[in-house]
Amino acid sequence: SRYHPHISQKNLIMNCVQEEELLEDGVTPKHNRLYKEQRYWDYRFSKERAYEWLVSYDIIREQLKSELRGDILLVGNGNSCLPSELVRDGYSNLIASDYSEIVVKRMRQVQPQVKHWVVADMLRLRQVFETNSFDCIIDKAAMDALVTDAGDPWDPNKETRQAICTFAREVAACLREDGKLIQISFQQPHFRKRLMDTPYLELDYVSDIDCGLGYYFYVYRKKTLSHL
């Protein structure tokens, strides 16, 4: 098995966001730092059935098709339709994950065609998954949540840099040799490259996604490491 089914899951956290922390729509945070907190996502997922961040699958389908192979993990999936759309296209060796038990429980019901939904924090992947388990890991706007409160994008704060380094380390540990991380992100390459300059992953290429405000398709490969 690629993951540890015996790992205990966190208790559900309901109604833990205060009204004054949100805009009038009752969903959008007043301060970006809330995007980094699990209590916000538990609250949001308890009220929201589906939301597709950045772009829909049909827009990135061909870009993904050129990269996807083998065993695939989606991190920070939330309530996106991406897992079911990938399964529909034949990518059956797929695990969808999120650190919110609330959304994972719901998505098991909403997308039963996806065989594996797992509660997993992308900053602690090895608590759930075995090392060297995946050929591809997909991050569609999940890491973006970590950089929304980074401060100066040219000089991100220490907390953000540490979180990104931890993310890269956990991803690299779970990737097989020649495994790849695929990121769909709003963050411009000159900022992303600085943040992802770690000992664990190296940028293969980045291409534009011609949609909306303009997004980016990043492909990173696992570096050859002596230790993680």
Side-chain angles (χ1 to χ4, degrees), residues 10-216:
K10 297 177 181 178
N11 293 329
L12 301 186
I13 305 172
M14 300 289 290
N15 301 320
C16 52
V17 174
Q18 302 301 313
E19 183 178 346
E20 57 267 23
E21 295 181 277
L22 304 172
L23 297 179
E24 291 183 2
D25 63 7
V27 175
T28 308
K30 288 182 179 179
H31 301 289
N32 283 342
R33 63 176 176 271
L34 204 56
Y35 282 118
K36 299 192 297 184
E37 299 185 25
Q38 184 177 347
R39 66 188 180 94
Y40 168 71
W41 294 107
D42 283 337
Y43 170 84
R44 178 166 177 159
F45 292 141
S46 72
K47 298 180 177 297
E48 178 184 76
R49 286 198 59 82
Y51 189 86
E52 203 65 55
W53 291 93
L54 306 185
V55 295
S56 59
Y57 175 60
D58 62 300
I59 292 172
I60 54 174
R61 182 181 181 185
E62 291 305 313
Q63 287 170 293
L64 285 172
K65 184 178 179 180
S66 68
E67 296 296 338
L68 291 180
R69 59 182 174 80
D71 295 314
I72 302 166
L73 171 67
L74 281 77
V75 297
N77 184 80
N79 50 21
S80 166
C81 294
L82 183 57
S84 62
E85 291 170 325
L86 287 170
V87 169
R88 183 192 63 200
D89 269 1
Y91 301 101
S92 57
N93 295 333
L94 178 147
I95 295 176
S97 70
D98 198 279
Y99 70 174
S100 171
E101 186 175 351
I102 290 172
V103 78
V104 168
K105 284 189 170 185
R106 175 178 293 169
M107 298 309 284
R108 284 173 181 155
Q109 298 175 338
V110 173
Q111 297 183 28
Q113 62 271 52
V114 180
K115 294 180 181 179
H116 301 293
W117 286 94
V118 178
V119 178
D121 186 338
M122 66 185 185
L123 299 185
R124 299 172 180 84
L125 292 177
R126 283 179 289 180
Q127 290 185 4
V128 179
F129 302 107
E130 301 285 354
T131 57
N132 305 309
S133 290
F134 300 101
D135 299 293
C136 297
I137 293 179
I138 302 174
D139 158 21
K140 184 171 180 281
M143 198 185 91
D144 286 351
L146 299 178
V147 305
T148 54
D149 190 38
D152 182 354
W154 292 105
D155 186 22
N157 57 48
K158 184 178 180 181
E159 180 185 3
T160 299
R161 286 185 279 110
Q162 288 178 337
I164 300 307
C165 188
T166 298
F167 170 72
R169 185 184 68 232
E170 293 296 299
V171 165
C174 291
L175 285 172
R176 295 178 178 134
E177 292 302 317
D178 201 33
K180 61 186 72 172
L181 166 68
I182 299 168
Q183 292 189 310
I184 295 93
S185 173
F186 66 69
Q187 191 174 41
Q188 296 173 324
H190 45 278
F191 297 133
R192 176 63 52 114
K193 289 176 182 177
R194 292 169 65 89
L195 271 176
M196 288 288 282
D197 184 15
T198 73
Y200 311 110
L201 299 166
E202 57 186 352
L203 181 64
D204 189 1
Y205 71 89
V206 56
S207 59
D208 292 339
I209 300 173
D210 188 16
C211 178
L213 299 174
Y215 304 117
Y216 304 93

